[in-house]
Amino acid sequence: MERTLSIIKPDATAKNVIGQILSRFESAGLAIKGVRMMNMTSAQAKEFYAVHKERPFYGELCDYMTSGPVVVSVLEGTDAVALNRKLMGATNPKDADKGTIRADFGDSIGANAVHGSDSLENAKNEVKFFFPELD
Ligand code: CMP
């Protein structure tokens, strides 16, 4: 059993597909152990994405993640980290396999519908970041 963090990004919340995305997680066998709709503050976005702070897109990424509501959730299941990443598809929706969340709902590399933890270690930190009560 693993836990991972998912974020439904502003492009997807604006498209009214929150339920469809959460449903994909549940249909694949992931249980939603925590879920919250929120507006990320600039400080939260900067801290959450601090691993990318040297990347040229860091500022754009933080601005984007604070541009509208997001839905953060904790997903639990067997191999949850890898399973969630498989459901999401490649970072750039153009490269994402057919039927994945990013292929179906993403618009661009920045507005790519969802974020998901990329390793078990990062998942632990990311879950704690938004859901300290579940740690
Ligand atoms: P995410 O899974 O949220 O993790 C980091 C994000 O940075 C990634 O999804 C993309 O949305 C974003 N990203 C990655 N590469 C680029 C890029 N070249 N330009 C803008 N955003 C990017």
Side-chain angles (χ1 to χ4, degrees), residues 7 11 23 41 64 79 92 108:
I7 305 178
D11 54 296
S23 173
T41 64
Y64 180 65
D79 294 326
N92 191 336
S108 65

Side-chain angles (χ1 to χ4, degrees), residues 60-77:
E60 192 185 314
L61 172 62
C62 293
D63 287 347
Y64 180 65
M65 293 303 285
T66 56
S67 68
V70 300
V71 174
V72 291
S73 63
V74 178
L75 310 176
E76 185 180 87

Side-chain angles (χ1 to χ4, degrees), residues 9 49 52 57 60-61 91 102 109-110 112 115:
K9 297 190 180 188
Y49 280 116
H52 296 302
F57 57 83
E60 192 185 314
L61 172 62
T91 305
R102 283 166 166 164
I109 195 160
N112 61 351
H115 164 82

Side-chain angles (χ1 to χ4, degrees), residues 1-5 25-26 28-33 74-84 120:
M1 274 303 201
E2 289 178 3
R3 281 183 173 178
T4 190
L5 186 92
F25 299 144
E26 292 185 325
L30 293 168
I32 297 168
K33 304 307 277 189
V74 178
L75 310 176
E76 185 180 87
T78 306
D79 294 326
V81 173
L83 176 54
N84 180 39
L120 192 54

